[in-house]
Amino acid sequence: VAGIAWPQNASGWTALTEAERISGAEAMLAAGKGGKTKVLIGVQSPDWAMVQPLARHADQNGADGILCIPPDIADEGELLAYYKRVGALTSRPLVIQAVGNVSVDLLVKMYETIPTARYVKDEAGEPLDDVEELVRRTNGGMGIWSGRGVGTMITEMERGFTGHCPYVSLADIYAEAYDLWHAGQKREAYLRFGAIQAANT
C-alpha cells in the first residue's frame, strides 16, 4: 500500500496548501494506476474545510481508500463523531491512524458505527498488547496495520497484525519477509527481517 499524508506544523514541517496536496495525490494516483499497489490518500488536516475536498478528490479520482490521523481532540466521543464525519465523505475504505490515547474501546466503536472504517494503523499505546483483543472484538473484521517503523515485525505477525507500514528505505525487504512468513517459510522470514535489523544497527 502506498499513501500520501501531510506535513504537520506541530512537528516543525511546512504545511502544504490544498492545491499542493491535491497535486501530490494526483501524482500518487497516476503512479499507481494499472499496477498492483493500492493507493491511499491522507486527508487529515486541523482545518475541516480542507478535509472535505481532499476526501472527495480521492474518491472521484480512484483512490483505493483514505487515511486520517486524528486531530487534537482528547474526548473520545468527540473523536468518534469526527471520524463519523470523515467516513461519510466517501464510500471508500477509511484507515484510522491511531496515535496518542486512542483506545481499543474507541477503535471497536468506530468499527461498529462507521461502515467504511475497516482498517487501523495502530500506533497508540502498546499495539502489541492490544492487537489480539482488537482482532477478537471485531471478529477479525478490522485490518490491523503496525507502524513505528515496524521494528517488531515478526512478533506483530505472530500476534495478528495483517499489514505493516515500515520506513520506506528497505520496504522491498520488509515485503519479502512478509511474503515468506505468510507462505509458511518462517525461518526464511526471520532471516530476511534479521537483515533489516542488521542494516539498521
Side-chain angles (χ1 to χ4, degrees):
V1 173
I4 183 167
W6 65 292
Q8 304 174 58
N9 284 328
S11 67
W13 300 348
T14 301
L16 301 177
T17 65
E18 179 183 322
E20 288 170 331
R21 291 184 64 183
I22 285 177
S23 178
E26 289 175 349
M28 291 286 290
L29 291 165
K33 190 172 184 179
K36 295 180 180 179
T37 302
K38 304 294 185 183
V39 180
L40 307 174
I41 301 300
V43 301
Q44 57 276 345
S45 172
D47 182 1
W48 179 253
M50 186 179 286
V51 174
Q52 297 175 79
L54 292 173
R56 292 187 178 123
H57 179 270
D59 186 36
Q60 294 165 3
N61 288 274
D64 294 288
I66 60 172
L67 181 143
C68 189
I69 300 170
D72 188 16
I73 297 174
D75 181 81
E76 287 199 346
E78 291 181 23
L79 198 53
L80 177 61
Y82 174 86
Y83 272 107
K84 285 182 177 180
R85 291 177 71 193
V86 175
L89 294 173
T90 172
S91 61
R92 298 181 187 274
L94 166 63
V95 180
I96 298 157
Q97 184 161 347
V99 296
N101 296 318
V102 175
S103 67
V104 170
D105 286 342
L106 179 57
L107 289 172
V108 171
K109 286 179 185 176
M110 290 179 181
Y111 175 79
E112 292 173 342
T113 61
I114 306 171
T116 55
R118 289 298 173 263
Y119 299 92
V120 58
K121 178 183 177 186
D122 193 0
E123 300 180 294
E126 296 298 335
L128 283 173
D129 294 338
D130 296 338
V131 62
E132 292 174 344
E133 181 183 358
L134 193 51
V135 169
R136 178 181 58 80
R137 291 178 62 186
T138 63
N139 294 314
M142 176 169 264
I144 306 166
W145 303 344
S146 64
R148 298 182 178 176
V150 192
T152 55
M153 184 179 188
I154 299 297
T155 306
E156 293 160 12
M157 291 189 290
E158 288 174 335
R159 295 196 183 180
F161 281 88
T162 55
H164 312 272
C165 301
Y167 298 132
V168 298
S169 58
L170 297 171
D172 55 339
I173 305 178
Y174 280 101
E176 289 175 9
Y178 177 91
D179 289 341
L180 287 165
W181 178 273
H182 290 282
Q185 300 178 51
K186 296 189 175 181
R187 181 177 185 280
E188 292 81 359
Y190 275 105
L191 292 174
R192 294 309 289 153
F193 185 66
I196 296 171
Q197 300 296 74
N200 287 336
T201 58

